[in-house]
Amino acid sequence: MSNELSSFSDALAALVSTGGNSLVRVDDGTRLTASGLVWEPGVIVTTSHGTERDEELFVITQPTTAHASPSL
């Protein structure tokens, strides 16, 4: 059983490590921020209610920040 748990733990850690590279923070300069998922290069998917403004959005990853434009 211990070997199964260890294998599961290793697999879960690898999944989180891989998936974590696709998660970003979308910041509109107000008090609200939203999580985003890099869907493909140049496309980030997030909720519409996670930010108050539709302009001046910033995508933040560690250690990079980039300006973003919303697309509906």
Side-chain angles (χ1 to χ4, degrees):
M1 177 94 167
S2 177
N3 192 26
E4 291 174 1
L5 289 177
S6 181
S7 294
F8 176 73
S9 178
D10 291 344
L12 187 57
L15 181 64
V16 169
S17 178
T18 301
N21 294 331
S22 298
L23 297 177
V24 297
R25 186 175 88 188
V26 179
D27 191 338
D28 68 356
T30 66
R31 60 181 176 80
L32 295 178
T33 60
S35 297
L37 175 67
V38 178
W39 190 259
E40 61 184 44
V43 177
I44 296 170
V45 179
T46 189
T47 61
S48 63
H49 64 274
T51 58
E52 291 181 339
R53 302 183 332 204
D54 289 338
E55 65 281 332
E56 295 298 319
L57 297 176
F58 293 90
V59 175
I60 302 167
T61 63
Q62 294 299 331
T64 306
T65 300
H67 188 266
S69 299
S71 177
L72 302 175

